[in-house]
C-alpha cells in the first residue's frame, strides 16, 4: 500500500520539475514555437486553459490600454514621488500599485459583481443605481475625474467596439450602458469608466464564450480575478514613470506650500 506524504503546498497552474517548465501543461518550447502571446500566458496561468483568440486578444487590449494614463493619476504620482526620493525600482512600483483600489483602477471586480447580480435579478438601471445609493454606495465602474459625457474615454470606446465585433454576446455591456444613460442624467462625469467597461465585458466573455462552467464563472467573480488586469497593465506605466524620473535625475519632491490650505 502506498502512503502519500502530505504536502504543505498545493499548486495547480504550472510545473518546473521536468526537462522544461510548463504553464498548465504547455511547455516553454510550445509557447515560443507556436507564437503564444501574453494573453495566452494569462489564459494558462490565471484561467488554467487555452482560450479563443478574441478572448486573449481582449485581455491584451486591456493591458495595452490600461498601461498608463499620464503622470497625474494616483499611481503614477506615487511612483514619481518615490523615485525622486531615491528609492529602488521595486519600491517605486509598489508605492504606485498600493493606490489601486475601489476608487482608482481596482473597481473592476466590484463592477462585475454588481452588474452580474443586476442582470440576474432583471433589475432596471434606475432601481440598480438608486438601490446602491440607498446603501450609501457609489456605483463601481461609473464616474471619472476628467472624463465626461462630452469627453468620452477612448479606452471604453475601443474595448466596446472590439467586443461588439468579436464577442458572441454583449448583454452585460448593454446593461452597463443603460446604467450610464441613467447616471448621466444626474451628472456629466458619471460615465461608464474603463473599470466598469472591463468588468461588464469580462462578464460577457465568461458567459458567451462557453469556455467556463457556471461554477467556474462564479468563482472567478467571487475570488476577484479582474483587478489583476489593471494591476498588471499599470505596472508597465509605473515602471516607466520611475525610470523616467531617474533618467531625468529629478530632485527630492516637496509639495509647494501654496498648494496647501493651512487651517485650523
Ligand atoms: N456612483 C454614484 N454617484 C457617484 C459616483 C458613482 N460611481 N461617482 C460620483 N458620484 C456622485 C456622488 O454624489 C458624489 O458625491 P459624494 O462625494 O457625496 O459621494 C458626486 O458625484 C461628486 O463626485 P465627483 O467629485 O464627481 O467624483 P470624484 O471626482 O470624487 O470621483 C471617482 C471620481 C472616484 C472615479 C468616482 O466616480 C467613483 O468613486 N467611482 C466609482 C469607483 C470607480 O469606478 N473607480 C474607477 C475609476 S476608472 C480608473 O480609475 C481607471
Ligand atoms: C486611469 O486610468 O488612471 C484613469 O482613468 C484615472 C484618471 O483619473 O485618469
Amino acid at each position: 500500500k502506498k502512503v502519500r506524504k502530505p504536502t504543505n503546498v498545493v499548486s495547480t497552474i504550472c510545473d518546473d520539475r521536468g526537462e522544461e517548465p510548463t504553464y498548465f501543461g504547455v511547455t516553454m518550447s510550445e509557447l515560443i514555437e507556436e507564437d503564444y502571446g501574453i494573453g495566452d500566458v494569462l489564459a494558462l496561468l490565471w484561467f488554467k486553459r487555452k482560450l479563443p483568440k478574441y478572448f486573449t486578444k481582449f485581455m491584451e487590449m486591456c493591458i495595452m490600454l490600461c498601461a498608463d494614463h499620464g503622470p497625474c493619476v494616483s499611481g503614477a504620482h506615487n511612483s514619481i514621488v518615490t523615485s525622486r526620493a531615491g528609492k529602488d525600482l521595486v519600491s517605486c512600483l509598489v508605492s504606485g500599485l498600493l493606490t489601486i483600489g475601489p476608487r482608482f483602477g481596482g473597481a473592476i471586480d466590484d463592477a462585475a459583481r454588481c452588474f452580474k447580480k443586476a442582470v440576474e435579478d432583471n433589475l432596471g438601471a434606475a432601481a440598480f443605481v438608486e438601490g446602491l445609493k440607498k446603501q450609501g454606495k457609489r456605483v463601481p465602474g461609473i464616474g471619472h475625474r476628467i472624463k465626461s459625457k462630452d469627453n468620452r474615454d477612448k479606452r471604453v470606446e475601443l474595448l466596446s467596439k472590439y467586443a461588439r465585433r468579436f464577442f458572441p454576446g454583449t448583454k452585460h455591456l448593454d446593461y452597463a450602458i443603460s446604467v450610464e444613460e441613467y447616471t448621466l442624467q444626474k451628472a456629466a462625469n458619471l460615465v461608464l469608466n474603463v473599470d466598469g467597461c472591463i468588468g461588464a465585458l469580462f462578464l460577457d466573455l465568461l458567459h458567451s464564450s462557453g469556455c467556463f462552467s457556471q461554477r467556474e464563472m462564479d468563482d472567478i467573480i467571487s475570488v476577484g480575478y479582474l483587478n489583476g488586469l489593471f494591476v498588471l497593465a499599470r505596472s508597465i506605466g509605473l515602471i516607466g514613470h520611475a525610470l523616467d524620473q531617474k533618467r531625468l535625475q529629478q530632485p527630492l519632491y516637496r509639495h509647494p506650500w501654496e498648494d496647501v490650505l493651512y487651517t485650523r
Side-chain angles (χ1 to χ4, degrees):
K1 183 177 146 208
K2 273 191 185 164
V3 179
R4 189 162 292 171
K5 191 172 162 283
T7 62
N8 288 308
V9 176
V10 182
S11 172
T12 68
I13 60 169
C14 57
D15 197 337
D16 60 314
R17 292 167 303 172
E19 202 180 316
E20 275 201 63
T22 56
Y23 293 163
F24 201 66
V26 177
T27 63
M28 300 261 148
S29 306
E30 271 176 90
L31 291 181
I32 301 306
E33 280 155 20
E34 290 170 28
D35 213 15
Y36 279 58
I38 292 287
D40 299 301
V41 171
L42 281 193
L44 294 170
L45 289 178
W46 290 12
F47 300 106
K48 301 183 22 170
R49 70 204 66 204
K50 293 181 184 174
L51 287 167
K53 185 75 191 162
Y54 64 85
F55 200 133
T56 57
K57 170 101 197 259
F58 173 77
M59 293 196 288
E60 287 178 7
M61 285 171 68
C62 292
I63 291 166
M64 289 162 69
L65 297 176
C66 293
D68 195 56
H69 210 238
C72 303
V73 304
S74 307
H77 182 81
N78 260 21
S79 286
I80 287 171
V81 171
T82 310
S83 185
R84 290 178 57 169
K87 303 282 303 232
D88 61 285
L89 182 64
V90 177
S91 301
C92 299
L93 171 62
V94 298
S95 149
L97 288 177
L98 286 172
T99 64
I100 297 177
R103 294 183 182 173
F104 167 65
I108 312 180
D109 285 305
D110 273 344
R113 288 180 189 124
C114 288
F115 293 146
K116 177 175 185 277
K117 173 110 187 21
V119 168
E120 279 165 6
D121 296 350
N122 227 336
L123 198 63
F128 170 69
V129 173
E130 298 307 328
L132 285 170
K133 193 174 173 186
K134 266 200 204 111
Q135 298 171 52
K137 290 185 184 155
R138 291 182 171 196
V139 186
I142 293 285
H144 201 274
R145 291 304 296 257
I146 59 165
K147 293 292 161 192
S148 66
K149 196 175 178 173
D150 304 311
N151 170 27
R152 291 306 180 98
D153 191 327
K154 195 73 189 170
R155 299 169 293 185
V156 171
E157 190 187 312
L158 291 167
L159 292 171
S160 306
K161 201 166 151 197
Y162 181 81
R164 293 215 186 282
R165 180 140 182 238
F166 296 107
F167 287 14
T170 56
K171 76 171 174 186
H172 294 90
L173 175 68
D174 297 339
Y175 183 76
I177 288 171
S178 76
V179 171
E180 177 189 55
E181 273 166 16
Y182 183 78
T183 53
L184 280 179
Q185 291 167 27
K186 291 175 175 266
N189 75 324
L190 295 185
V191 289
L192 176 65
N193 61 41
V194 73
D195 282 14
C197 180
I198 294 175
L201 285 176
F202 221 94
L203 286 173
D204 283 329
L205 276 177
L206 293 176
H207 284 262
S208 66
S209 64
C211 299
F212 297 87
S213 69
Q214 186 62 49
R215 168 85 198 272
E216 287 171 332
M217 292 191 262
D218 291 345
D219 279 352
I220 287 167
I221 300 304
S222 69
V223 166
Y225 277 57
L226 309 184
N227 288 342
L229 285 171
F230 191 91
V231 170
L232 183 62
R234 194 51 60 94
S235 294
I236 299 173
L238 297 177
I239 291 171
H241 284 292
L243 297 175
D244 189 36
Q245 296 304 307
K246 292 193 189 302
R247 187 177 47 235
L248 296 168
Q249 298 188 321
Q250 290 295 287
L252 179 67
Y253 180 81
R254 196 176 200 281
H255 202 74
W257 277 324
E258 308 83 80
D259 193 36
V260 177
L261 172 65
Y262 290 91
T263 181
R264 277 171 185 251

